[in-house]
């Protein structure tokens, strides 16, 4: 049985970003850029964010390792971002693993994956598959997960021992289930708990059904992160059910917490988000908390440099 003791041990942040917009490597962070963004106005993100900023935001929490996730760097130079993140790690001790950019449907996907895999810190790649932007569009459109050329690139991940970080909303998870079953040797790590943005009862019911189907795949993992709502502060009471349902569906050995910082700074402080996760899971056994906050991420991303 669990007690009411929130986690006070070491944390591995399974999803965060660093960037320097002034260098022009992230087109979406350019001063004049204005892309559709799920949190609305994102102009506050157009600032330098480096390990010293992250450590300042994380004060009071024992974050020992982090996973850097690609930041939609200039697609003409994906390996350049990997070199950038690795150089930060060399200078600052963070990050401790990298999710690299990879365009799996490009003609040069094989060569690109080989180059990315050469970096000792690369554990996974991400290529957002697009597709239906709402549940109503599902069936009329499909994501890249069903595209033959994209799947040929995806098939090469296993050759390099790479995972796949999947960022897609819950209504596209049936395609992710097919992908997981067709390529069982590749871990699929679902970002941001399937993006349950709509919080009405019917949407949450359908989100849970989609998540339950994906959780049945042995090679599925999930990051509990990115749960903010536009124009509202991050509150544990609004995210408690989603967090605990995700843990119930996947089990703590296949789920991990992440900050999504600095993106989620649009919704709350790093302290409020981590403290919220701690309060929500205080009812769980200590061993389950250790998996969610540290050990699952460490096993999946090998942040300590250990073998899988």
């Amino acid at each position: 049985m669990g007690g009411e003791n929130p986690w006070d041990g070491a944390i591995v942040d399974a999803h965060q970003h660093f960037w320097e917009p002034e260098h022009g490597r992230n087109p979406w962070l350019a001063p004049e850029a204005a892309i559709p963004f799920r949190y609305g106005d994102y102009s506050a993100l157009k600032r330098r964010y480096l390990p010293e900023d992250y450590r300042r935001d994380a004060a009071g929490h024992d974050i020992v390792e982090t996973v850097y996730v690609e930041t939609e760097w200039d697609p003409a130079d994906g390996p350049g971002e990997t070199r950038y993140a690795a150089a930060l790690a060399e200078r600052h001790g963070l990050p401790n693993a990298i999710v690299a950019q990879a365009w799996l449907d490009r003609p040069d996907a094989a060569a690109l994956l080989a180059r990315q895999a050469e970096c000792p810190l690369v554990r996974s790649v991400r290529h957002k598959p697009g597709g239906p932007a709402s549940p109503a569009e599902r069936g009329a459109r499909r994501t890249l997960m069903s595209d033959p050329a994209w799947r040929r690139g995806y098939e090469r991940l296993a050759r390099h021992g790479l995972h796949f970080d999947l960022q897609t909303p819950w209504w596209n998870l049936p395609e992710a289930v097919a992908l997981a079953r067709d390529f069982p040797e590749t871990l699929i790590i679902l970002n941001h708990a399937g993006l349950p943005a709509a919080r009405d009862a019917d949407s949450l019911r359908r989100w849970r059904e989609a998540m339950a189907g994906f959780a049945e795949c042995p090679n599925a993992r999930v990051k509990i992160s990115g749960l903010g709502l536009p124009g509202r502060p991050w509150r544990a009471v609004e995210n408690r059910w989603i967090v605990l349902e995700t843990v119930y569906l996947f089990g703590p050995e296949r789920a991990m917490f992440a900050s999504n910082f600095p993106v989620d700074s649009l919704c709350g402080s790093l302290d409020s988000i981590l403290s919220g996760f701690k309060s929500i899971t205080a009812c769980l056994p200590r061993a389950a908390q250790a998996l969610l906050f540290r050990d699952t991420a460490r096993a999946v991303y090998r942040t300590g440099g250990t073998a899988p």
Side-chain angles (χ1 to χ4, degrees):
M1 296 292 292
E4 289 295 334
N5 298 305
W7 180 249
D8 59 357
I11 296 172
V12 176
D13 186 346
H15 193 115
Q16 56 85 208
H17 312 283
F18 297 126
W19 52 53
E20 298 175 71
E22 64 270 26
H23 296 316
R25 296 163 175 151
N26 301 91
W28 69 287
L29 291 174
E32 69 281 2
I35 65 169
F37 201 73
R38 62 192 177 93
Y39 289 153
D41 178 16
Y42 68 95
S43 57
L45 299 180
K46 297 178 180 182
R47 70 187 194 281
R48 176 181 295 202
Y49 195 80
L50 292 172
E52 58 264 32
D53 304 302
Y54 177 87
R55 287 189 165 113
R56 183 169 54 249
D57 287 340
H61 300 273
D62 186 17
I63 297 179
V64 294
E65 295 153 2
T66 75
V67 178
Y68 175 101
V69 178
E70 63 90 16
T71 62
E72 299 192 17
W73 185 281
D74 179 356
D77 182 31
E81 180 175 23
T82 301
R83 293 191 298 271
Y84 170 77
L88 289 176
E90 185 71 23
R91 294 196 301 271
H92 301 281
L94 295 178
N96 309 94
I98 296 171
V99 177
Q101 180 192 103
W103 298 85
L104 299 177
D105 55 345
R106 282 191 353 189
D108 63 344
L112 175 60
L113 287 173
R115 288 185 64 190
Q116 296 287 38
E118 289 174 354
C119 175
L121 288 179
V122 170
R123 305 287 187 261
S124 183
V125 302
R126 186 168 74 163
H127 181 183
K128 296 176 184 177
S134 71
E137 294 181 25
R138 188 173 174 269
R141 299 174 58 202
R142 296 181 73 81
T143 77
L144 286 172
M145 289 185 281
S146 298
D147 178 76
W150 190 91
R151 280 176 153 244
R152 284 192 293 272
Y154 185 91
E155 185 269 337
R156 292 182 174 273
L157 296 177
R159 307 183 192 187
H160 299 288
L162 295 174
H163 310 323
F164 181 69
D165 267 62
L166 171 62
Q167 184 159 326
T168 197
W170 56 264
W171 52 84
N172 294 325
L173 288 180
E175 288 184 69
V177 170
L179 189 69
R181 291 175 177 169
D182 290 344
F183 302 95
E185 68 279 16
T186 300
L187 281 188
I188 301 179
I189 305 152
L190 180 64
N191 293 182
H192 309 327
L195 298 167
R199 300 297 175 88
D200 60 279
D202 184 60
S203 294
L204 288 176
R205 175 186 61 79
R206 296 168 70 190
W207 166 82
R208 189 190 187 282
E209 290 175 353
M211 291 286 281
F214 183 61
E216 290 179 3
C217 302
N219 53 332
R221 303 291 185 270
V222 63
K223 288 193 270 202
I224 303 173
S225 55
L227 299 180
L229 297 171
R232 298 167 68 171
W234 201 103
R235 299 173 64 220
V237 67
E238 292 182 324
N239 291 311
R240 177 181 176 84
W241 184 83
I242 289 170
V243 169
L244 293 179
E245 284 300 303
T246 303
V247 174
Y248 173 77
L249 291 171
F250 287 82
E253 70 281 357
R254 295 197 297 150
M256 63 199 95
F257 286 127
S259 72
N260 195 33
F261 247 63
V263 174
D264 274 31
S265 66
L266 297 175
C267 308
S269 67
L270 187 52
D271 175 64
S272 66
I273 292 171
L274 290 179
S275 296
F277 288 147
K278 289 178 179 181
S279 69
I280 289 169
T281 55
C283 59
L284 299 180
R286 179 81 175 176
Q289 294 181 49
L291 286 162
L292 291 164
F293 282 99
R294 181 189 65 209
D295 296 338
T296 299
R298 189 170 277 173
V300 169
Y301 289 110
R302 310 192 307 279
T303 52
T306 56

